[in-house]
Structure formats: C-alpha cells, structure tokens
Amino acid sequence: MAATKAPPLKIVEPTYSVSEAAIRLNLRKEGEVNRNGGASKKGEKWLRDGVNLLGWPHYRLAGELRFSESDLAEIQELNRNKPETRGRRRQSNRRPAAHRAKTAA
C-alpha cells in the first residue's frame, strides 16, 4: 500500500485590527490624537469603506474586521499610483479665444 502524504502545514499570519492596520499602512502615527484630544481614527473609515464597498481582502474573526500582512500588501498594491495617469492635464471646458472673438462680434 502506498504511503499517503501529510497535508502541507498551514502557517497562521498575524492579523491586525482596523486601527492597527491604519498605523501599519502609515495612514496615521501611533499615539496620534485628534483636535478634541481623543484617539485619532484617521484612515480607519477609508479601510472600512474599501472592505465594504470595494471588496478589499480581509478577515472577519469573531465579528471583528481584521487584516493580515498579505492583505495589507495587496491593499497597498491596489491603491498604488499608476505613473501613466498621475499628473495628467485636466480637460478644459473653455472655448478657444478665437471662437469667443467671433461670437462677440
């Protein structure tokens, strides 16, 4: 009888809460406070909206939103600025000066 292979060992990645993930992605600094003196929530809404509206990778453990290292790396890659679209000139709605001169005459 042939020997059966054991299934590959799965490694559990550490996970981070929304607040910790915002710090890991450098959306805010650890210990940062808001104007009222309370703990800052900067970046947390952006992460929650990305999960709920855009389907970003995440885990829900015990009803809590959690992110692994690979999830954070994928979110960072999804939001990377594309060099060909950055710094593009805006389209103007104004008509050329020659056209305005003809209509004014």
Side-chain angles (χ1 to χ4, degrees):
M1 190 164 146
T4 59
K5 284 188 175 179
L9 188 62
K10 292 189 177 186
I11 298 173
V12 178
E13 287 184 88
T15 59
Y16 303 99
S17 67
V18 178
S19 178
E20 294 166 336
I23 293 168
R24 300 274 306 165
L25 289 172
N26 292 323
L27 299 174
R28 68 180 166 102
K29 293 178 177 44
E30 192 169 358
E32 189 173 327
V33 294
N34 62 16
R35 281 183 256 165
N36 300 330
S40 176
K41 301 234 181 239
K42 192 184 340 180
E44 292 182 24
K45 183 174 182 342
W46 181 75
L47 282 169
R48 288 182 192 281
D49 287 348
V51 166
N52 295 326
L53 302 175
L54 303 174
W56 288 351
H58 67 286
Y59 294 95
R60 288 204 188 263
L61 301 172
E64 188 180 327
L65 189 61
R66 307 287 293 183
F67 299 94
S68 67
E69 287 285 340
S70 57
D71 293 340
L72 296 177
E74 192 172 339
I75 289 169
Q76 196 169 26
E77 189 62 32
L78 287 170
N79 291 287
R80 184 176 179 186
N81 286 339
K82 295 177 178 61
E84 65 273 3
T85 59
R86 200 173 80 209
R88 234 183 215 176
R89 297 180 93 193
R90 290 187 177 179
Q91 196 90 21
S92 175
N93 291 335
R94 295 182 61 187
R95 296 187 178 189
H99 185 273
R100 284 192 302 251
K102 287 179 188 176
T103 57

